[in-house]
């Protein structure tokens, strides 16, 4: 590619669009993410995993609390053994009365029953406390894993998901899992042990009656299978609509001024009502389908009682069983069928929890930015030499946003990127900071391919000021030192002064200790932008990126910021994205980006003399 020198910048010759036409293919950021990017340019995400796969993933978090769960299982076995012994003792009491042994024997059995119930109660309290602690630690691990995942997901993911929907997954869906873990786990384990224990004793007492009790099992399985599949889909739809509702709430609150400015309150309320109605409808259907299970289970239980009574009566009549055995079996049949009903009933909660867990594991299963390559270099003492070599990039496969872009920037140079919205200016910066990786070509920093640096190390070379400022809950001083937590108060004041923010900060009642938050309105947009500039000043990174950094301030403040930025940019490589050409006249080189290519390059005077795209832009603004 032909190049001509301009100061310290190697400037590419004027490019042409695809098919030989200037401009070429349009595409690129139109806003949306922190550094640009519409949701429409990305492919849709993957669908949720199946219930079995979700359960296996959830089980891995359970196994982290293996010791606690083992203790709970031992206590549950002891509790179940005591529960299983009760019908046997009742049967022995009835048998003692029938055999005429007197009230002494009955009193002995009664004392044993009281002791068994008391021990059962104590064990229940202990395993409940242990399981509560374990379940909350499991949920804590889930929240931590999900929040950690948010930090490692690429910008493309955050550009395609609303904040409210992601918050819903981290709060509502995880809480849904939490309630199920706390309530259902011990019940499920206890029910399983109770079924096995009760059936073992029943088989020991009378094999005929034990086999009779089994007729309820296939009925329970068939009913549970028929209902659970339908209810799971409805619970999943309910969680999905809840996520949409949270997204709408977050958007309407954040954009409340715009809603009122365009008198869209009625439309917002109507849209909210429609989503809320869909949520209500799915929730009602989910509860109906899950609620029909227990009445059917009661019918099955009663059928089991009838079968045992009929068979038991016949066995007593033929002398194959005693009255005491039948009395024990009546209690055991309840102990056998009641846990089965509980297990079936717990599927209501389990289906809801699995629906939430699917959405949680969708996030955990997303591909992050990926690990750094083996042997990735640590950036030390970066200078700021930047080179793009035949870089091509697409957000969506087949739609090029940058097309064969090449240029070189020497350390300490100031480069301005101008052009129409969506031309690819912000994309160049996104690739340089590795928020995305180039589809083709390579980008070099100080002569090394940036993909060979560790990401976190690479990004320490950049100070970034975006058009959309972001403040975090805390003091003004905390926000300024966000990128350099160890900075002293003196350094914070120095950075604020250099950015032109010190004067307005000192006018605030709390000064540098004034509390602010990301969504607070106690600061103007211009003041918030000054704080963002001060944050970048404090980092003292060798490469400065300004993406419309002065777009929200008045002309007088802009001039003050320009003087501050000139001091800040001294000795640093600067990339300035601007629409107001008055802010970049002093740039060493101005690159006009259009259709994913650099169509013009040169100084302010040279581009005006050229009479091309830059001259037209300048004329339209002047």
């Amino acid at each position: 590619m032909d190049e001509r020198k301009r100061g310290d910048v190697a400037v590419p010759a004027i490019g042409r669009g695809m098919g030989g036409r200037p401009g070429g293919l349009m595409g690129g950021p139109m806003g949306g993410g922190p550094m640009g990017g519409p949701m429409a340019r990305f492919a849709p995400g993957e669908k949720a995993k199946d219930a079995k796969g979700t359960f296996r993933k959830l089980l891995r978090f359970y196994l982290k609390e293996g010791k606690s769960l083992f203790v709970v299982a031992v206590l549950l076995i002891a509790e179940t053994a005591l529960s299983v012994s009760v019908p046997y003792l009742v049967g022995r009491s009835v048998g003692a009365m029938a055999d005429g042994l007197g009230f002494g024997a009955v009193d002995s059995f009664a004392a044993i029953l009281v002791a068994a119930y008391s021990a059962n109660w104590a064990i229940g309290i202990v395993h409940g406390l242990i399981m509560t602690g374990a379940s909350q630690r499991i949920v804590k691990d889930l929240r931590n894993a999900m929040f950690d995942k948010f930090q490692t997901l690429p910008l493309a993911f955050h550009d395609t998901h609303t904040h409210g929907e992601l918050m819903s997954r981290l709060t509502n869906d995880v809480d849904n899992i939490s309630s199920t873990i706390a309530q259902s786990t011990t019940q499920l384990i206890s029910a399983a042990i109770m079924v096995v224990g009760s059936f073992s004793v029943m088989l020991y007492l009378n094999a005929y009656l034990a086999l009779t009790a089994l007729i309820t099992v296939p009925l329970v399985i068939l009913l549970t299978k028929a209902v659970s599949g339908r209810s799971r889909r409805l619970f999943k739809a309910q969680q999905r609509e809840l996520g949409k509702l949270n997204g709408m709430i977050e958007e309407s609150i954040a954009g409340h001024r715009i809603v009122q400015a365009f008198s869209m309150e009625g439309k917002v309320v109507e849209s909210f009502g429609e989503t809320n109605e869909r949520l209500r409808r799915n929730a009602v259907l989910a509860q109906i389908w899950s609620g029909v299970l227990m009445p059917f289970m009661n019918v099955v239980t009663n059928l089991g009682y009838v079968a045992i009574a009929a068979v038991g009566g016949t066995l007593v009549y033929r002398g194959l069983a005693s009255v005491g055995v039948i009395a024990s079996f009546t209690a055991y049949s309840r102990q056998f069928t009641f846990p089965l009903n509980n297990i079936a009933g717990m599927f209501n909660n389990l289906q809801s929890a699995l629906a939430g867990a699917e959405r949680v594991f969708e996030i955990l299963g997303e591909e992050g930015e990926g690990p750094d390559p083996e042997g990735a270099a640590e950036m030390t003492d970066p200078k700021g030499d930047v080179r793009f070599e035949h870089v091509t990039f697409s957000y969506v496969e087949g739609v090029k946003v940058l097309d064969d872009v090449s240029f070189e920037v020497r350390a300490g140079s100031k480069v301005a990127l101008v052009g129409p919205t969506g031309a690819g200016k912000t994309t160049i910066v996104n690739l340089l900071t590795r928020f995305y990786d180039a589809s083709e070509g390579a980008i070099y920093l100080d002569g090394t391919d940036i993909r060979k640096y560790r990401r976190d190390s690479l990004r320490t070379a950049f100070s970034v000021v975006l058009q959309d400022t972001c403040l975090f809950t805390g003091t003004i001083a905390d926000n300024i030192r966000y990128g350099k937590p160890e900075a002293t108060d003196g350094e914070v004041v120095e950075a604020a002064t250099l950015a032109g923010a010190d004067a307005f900060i000192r006018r605030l009642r709390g000064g540098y200790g004034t509390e602010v938050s990301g969504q607070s309105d106690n600061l103007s947009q211009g003041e918030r932008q000054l704080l963002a500039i001060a944050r970048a000043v404090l980092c003292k990174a060798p490469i400065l990126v300004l993406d419309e950094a002065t777009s929200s301030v008045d002309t007088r403040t802009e001039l003050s910021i320009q003087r501050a930025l000139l001091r800040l940019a001294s000795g640093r490589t600067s990339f300035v994205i601007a629409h107001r050409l008055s802010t970049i006249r002093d740039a060493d080189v101005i690159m006009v980006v259009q259709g994913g290519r650099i169509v013009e390059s040169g100084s302010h005077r040279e581009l005006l003399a050229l009479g091309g795209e830059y001259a037209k832009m300048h004329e339209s603004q002047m």
Side-chain angles (χ1 to χ4, degrees):
M1 192 174 189
D2 295 333
E3 294 183 345
R4 52 191 174 83
K5 296 287 184 180
R6 168 58 51 195
D8 290 328
V9 183
V11 183
I14 298 173
R16 301 187 66 81
M18 298 181 67
R21 298 187 301 277
L25 182 67
M26 295 298 291
M30 301 283 289
M35 299 192 71
M39 293 174 64
R41 68 193 180 195
F42 297 101
E46 294 183 354
K47 294 183 179 180
K49 305 296 182 182
D50 64 320
K52 292 181 180 179
T54 301
F55 182 77
R56 285 195 295 268
K57 292 172 184 176
L58 194 57
L59 188 60
R60 296 192 192 109
F61 282 88
Y62 270 75
L63 293 178
K64 293 179 181 179
E65 292 293 325
K67 292 181 179 178
S68 297
L69 293 178
F70 176 76
V71 173
V72 169
V74 171
L75 292 174
L76 285 174
I77 291 173
E79 183 182 22
T80 303
L82 291 170
S83 298
V84 169
S85 68
V86 170
Y88 178 77
L89 294 171
V90 171
R92 290 292 303 273
S93 299
V94 174
M97 291 293 293
D99 295 337
L101 297 180
F103 288 101
V106 175
D107 290 341
S108 298
F109 285 120
I112 296 173
L113 282 171
V114 170
Y117 279 124
S118 300
N120 198 308
W121 170 78
I123 292 173
I125 291 178
V126 173
H127 80 61
L129 291 174
I130 296 174
M131 193 62 210
T132 297
S135 65
Q136 291 307 312
R137 287 192 294 271
I138 291 170
V139 172
K140 182 199 72 174
D141 290 342
L142 269 175
R143 287 198 188 101
N144 285 339
M146 200 169 181
F147 192 79
D148 289 348
K149 190 68 175 183
F150 282 156
Q151 311 313 310
T152 61
L153 287 171
L155 192 63
F157 174 86
H158 292 283
D159 279 345
T160 56
H161 293 78
T162 65
H163 298 166
E165 200 267 342
L166 294 179
M167 289 170 60
S168 178
R169 297 195 188 206
L170 186 57
T171 54
N172 294 332
D173 291 336
V174 172
D175 284 343
N176 201 8
I177 298 170
S178 171
S179 61
T180 301
I181 291 174
Q183 295 175 11
S184 300
T185 303
T186 53
Q187 294 180 24
L188 194 61
I189 297 174
S190 178
I193 296 173
M194 182 68 74
V195 167
V196 173
S198 298
F199 185 73
S200 299
V201 177
M202 290 166 69
L203 200 60
Y204 169 75
L205 291 174
N206 192 293
Y208 295 111
L209 289 175
L211 294 175
T212 303
L214 286 180
I215 65 171
T216 60
V217 175
L219 295 175
V220 170
I221 293 174
L222 290 174
L223 282 171
T224 303
K225 187 175 181 179
V227 174
S228 63
R230 178 69 174 177
S231 62
R232 182 172 64 87
R233 289 191 295 271
L234 289 168
F235 276 120
K236 184 178 177 182
Q238 174 186 334
Q239 295 299 110
R240 184 172 58 248
E241 294 299 331
L242 183 59
K244 291 180 181 178
L245 199 72
N246 284 332
M248 292 182 64
I249 294 171
E250 191 270 338
E251 286 182 355
S252 64
I253 292 175
H256 188 61
R257 288 187 177 183
I258 302 299
V259 172
Q260 289 188 328
F262 287 92
S263 300
M264 292 295 289
E265 295 92 337
K267 182 65 177 177
V268 169
V269 170
E270 180 184 354
S271 180
F272 181 87
E274 291 174 356
T275 304
N276 201 19
E277 172 60 22
R278 288 195 299 271
L279 174 59
R280 183 201 65 80
R281 189 163 54 246
N282 282 312
V284 168
L285 289 174
Q287 293 299 327
I288 288 175
W289 273 91
S290 63
V292 300
L293 194 58
M294 287 309 295
F296 281 117
M297 290 298 103
N298 289 333
V299 172
V300 172
T301 300
N302 292 332
L303 288 176
Y305 285 153
V306 171
I308 288 174
V311 175
T314 303
L315 292 176
V316 171
Y317 177 75
R318 294 184 177 181
L320 299 176
S322 67
V323 175
V325 169
I326 300 302
S328 295
F329 247 94
T330 303
Y332 277 122
S333 65
R334 180 173 179 79
Q335 280 195 350
F336 180 72
T337 56
F338 186 73
L340 290 177
N341 291 357
N342 273 349
I343 292 173
M346 276 184 279
F347 269 88
N348 302 345
N349 293 331
L350 290 174
Q351 296 306 317
S352 179
L354 285 175
E358 279 183 338
R359 289 162 49 82
V360 168
F361 286 116
E362 277 180 2
I363 301 295
L364 296 179
E366 289 282 345
E367 290 189 12
E369 288 186 309
D372 294 312
E374 187 175 350
E378 184 81 22
M379 177 166 288
T380 56
D381 192 25
K383 302 295 186 299
D385 289 308
V386 174
R387 186 170 81 253
F388 275 55
E389 283 191 358
H390 306 292
V391 172
T392 297
F393 178 72
S394 301
Y395 290 108
V396 177
E397 187 176 353
V399 182
K400 293 181 179 180
V401 179
L402 294 181
D403 183 25
D404 196 25
V405 172
S406 297
F407 62 83
E408 186 173 353
V409 177
R410 302 301 181 190
S413 303
K414 181 178 180 180
V415 179
L417 302 173
V418 300
T421 299
K425 306 183 297 297
T426 300
T427 300
I428 290 175
V429 174
N430 283 344
L431 295 179
L432 181 59
T433 52
R434 283 202 72 192
F435 287 127
Y436 300 93
D437 283 326
S439 306
E440 299 176 18
I443 303 170
Y444 297 88
L445 179 58
D446 295 342
T448 302
D449 190 328
I450 62 173
R451 287 170 291 197
K452 294 182 179 180
Y453 288 118
R454 288 177 46 198
R455 277 194 186 86
D456 56 350
S457 176
L458 170 69
R459 288 170 184 166
T460 60
F462 299 91
S463 287
V464 181
V465 181
L466 306 177
Q467 179 178 3
D468 298 324
T469 59
C470 179
L471 299 182
F472 300 91
T473 300
T475 65
I476 285 180
D478 292 336
N479 274 276
I480 294 176
R481 60 163 59 96
Y482 186 78
K484 189 179 178 182
E486 70 278 7
T488 65
D489 291 342
E491 290 175 318
V492 170
V493 173
E494 181 184 356
T497 302
L498 187 61
D502 180 71
F504 92 80
I505 293 174
R506 292 189 183 277
R507 288 196 299 268
L508 298 174
R509 178 175 298 179
Y512 283 86
T514 302
E515 291 284 338
V516 296
S517 69
Q519 300 297 329
S520 64
D521 289 329
N522 56 341
L523 298 177
S524 70
Q525 181 63 27
E527 290 171 337
R528 294 162 68 89
Q529 205 153 33
L530 289 174
L531 294 181
I533 294 173
R535 181 190 296 161
V537 170
L538 185 61
C539 288
K540 297 180 180 179
I543 302 176
L544 182 64
V545 176
L546 304 172
D547 190 351
E548 289 292 329
T550 61
S551 62
S552 298
V553 297
D554 59 82
T555 305
R556 182 176 179 180
T557 305
E558 181 183 37
L559 292 174
S560 176
I561 292 175
Q562 287 300 317
R563 289 192 291 269
L565 290 178
L566 282 174
R567 295 192 296 270
L568 172 64
S570 177
R572 292 183 173 89
T573 306
S574 303
F575 287 86
V576 182
I577 299 173
H579 286 104
R580 288 194 294 206
L581 303 184
S582 60
T583 63
I584 46 92
R585 289 182 178 182
D586 62 334
D588 295 313
V589 166
I590 300 171
M591 298 183 185
V592 181
V593 184
Q594 194 172 73
R597 292 200 174 199
I598 299 174
V599 297
E600 292 178 1
S601 299
S603 68
H604 173 71
R605 290 185 178 180
E606 287 178 341
L607 292 180
L608 286 181
L610 188 64
E613 293 297 325
Y614 181 83
K616 293 178 184 178
M617 293 168 60
H618 185 269
E619 182 180 355
S620 66
Q621 290 193 15
M622 295 300 106

